[in-house]
Amino acid sequence: MLFLALAIFGSVFTASFIKWCESRKIDTVGVIASNYLSGSLLGWTLVWWDGWPGLSAETVGFGIGGGMLWPSAFLVFRWGIRRYGLSLSISAANLSLCVPVTFGLSFLEEALSLAVLLGLGFTLASLWMIRPQVKRSETGRDWKALCFFPVLLGMLGTVSLWTNLFNIWGPAPQRFLYVTLVFSFSLVFSMLALLLWKRPVPRRAFLWGQVLGITNALGIVGLLGALRSETFTHHSAIVYSLHSVSVMLLGTLIGVGIWRERMSRRNWAGIGFAVAAVVALNLR
């Protein structure tokens, strides 16, 4: 459970930190791009501390793929926080649990008990009620909102699934090396993109990016640790459900409590379903 708590903290802090940077007019694109420096340095430190585990072709492949997926999904998430707020964006993002959970139940032959079934049902009901609202404007329907929802779900769902696939097919002793390679390749791809865009990173954004990188890397390490723990062996659906509901609940409360974001009655009903989901999944 300690690894799961670390993963939840990393996700909530990351989203809240992006919201804070936006509220302080800090260049969040620069923050996101530069966070991979401290994240990769932390990863190499963990690899050195844990001992060199060797380097397999699978780890390199997953590292390169993650290096392309992470920055892209992060930028889409940042755009959602800026446009729709922390509460709605973090709720939409956590609908992405549908991707790895469905994969685990469909292709990995994971057990589906009554408690897990109820928990997943409550989770989906909760996230449906706290989905981003699509508003009509003078020019018609908000198509950006309609596109943002499925794009964010698909991209973040693929990111989560990618981590779980490494957990299945990647060498267990190389999990720290995997995180390190993801952050290292993300740094390379992000810097190349900024060079192509001719967009420099402000000094303040670079410094705050180092703070974000540490918690971001720890969150991924926590998720990998939770997936490999004896408590959740062959139960990745429970890991992702607990993680997603907790992040959604905490992120929503932070958005409402600190940044005074508005929530409808249906949104609050969704929080009630989130609590029910956490209870059901812990009664497995």
Side-chain angles (χ1 to χ4, degrees):
M1 293 299 290
L2 180 62
F3 280 112
L4 181 58
L6 182 62
I8 292 170
F9 169 78
S11 297
V12 173
F13 181 88
T14 296
S16 302
F17 192 76
I18 292 298
K19 174 69 176 182
W20 179 83
C21 289
E22 287 284 346
S23 68
R24 294 296 187 276
K25 306 298 182 183
I26 301 173
D27 181 7
T28 48
V29 173
V31 171
I32 292 172
S34 59
N35 97 96
Y36 298 113
L37 175 59
S38 59
S40 60
L41 290 176
L42 176 61
W44 287 115
T45 301
L46 291 174
V47 170
W48 171 80
W49 174 74
D50 201 43
W52 180 251
L55 181 61
S56 67
E58 291 86 353
T59 302
V60 174
F62 275 105
I64 295 174
M68 292 185 286
L69 288 171
W70 260 247
S72 303
F74 213 157
L75 288 175
V76 173
F77 186 41
R78 164 257 182 190
W79 183 84
I81 292 175
R82 165 180 280 189
R83 185 176 178 89
Y84 303 109
L86 174 63
S87 302
L88 293 181
S89 295
I90 205 168
S91 300
N94 282 282
L95 261 177
S96 63
L97 72 91
C98 296
V99 177
V101 166
T102 302
F103 185 89
L105 296 174
S106 301
F107 299 102
L108 303 181
E109 300 181 353
E110 296 189 349
L112 181 63
S113 66
L114 178 60
V116 173
L117 182 62
L118 288 174
L120 291 175
F122 288 144
T123 298
L124 293 176
S126 169
L127 296 174
W128 172 258
M129 290 182 176
I130 309 181
R131 71 190 190 280
Q133 301 298 306
V134 179
K135 299 180 180 180
R136 285 185 176 273
S137 63
E138 295 180 357
T139 58
R141 191 175 295 275
D142 186 355
W143 290 104
K144 288 185 177 180
L146 288 172
C147 293
F148 162 74
F149 186 68
V151 168
L152 182 64
L153 185 152
M155 292 188 71
L156 290 182
T158 303
V159 167
S160 298
L161 177 60
W162 195 257
T163 299
N164 194 32
L165 290 178
F166 173 80
N167 175 63
I168 297 169
W169 292 324
Q174 296 181 23
R175 64 181 183 273
F176 292 150
L177 185 57
Y178 161 70
V179 175
T180 302
L181 291 177
V182 167
F183 273 81
S184 299
F185 284 117
S186 294
L187 177 64
V188 172
F189 293 139
S190 297
M191 291 299 111
L192 287 175
L194 290 177
L195 286 174
L196 290 174
W197 294 340
K198 297 181 180 180
R199 180 169 182 165
V201 177
R203 181 174 178 272
R204 186 167 68 149
F206 174 81
L207 293 176
W208 284 119
Q210 307 319 303
V211 177
L212 179 62
I214 295 174
T215 56
N216 197 8
L218 289 176
I220 297 176
V221 170
L223 183 59
L224 281 173
L227 290 168
R228 290 192 181 278
S229 66
E230 294 182 1
T231 304
F232 297 111
T233 300
H234 304 303
H235 293 289
S236 67
I238 296 178
V239 173
Y240 283 112
S241 298
L242 284 173
H243 177 266
S244 297
V245 170
S246 300
V247 170
M248 177 272 298
L249 180 60
L250 292 172
T252 299
L253 292 177
I254 291 173
V256 172
I258 297 179
W259 282 286
R260 305 298 181 184
E261 296 175 351
R262 294 183 178 181
M263 297 284 288
S264 67
R265 291 181 179 178
R266 184 178 66 179
N267 296 155
W268 287 115
I271 292 179
F273 275 104
V275 174
V278 172
V279 172
L281 291 169
N282 278 291
L283 290 177
R284 68 185 178 84

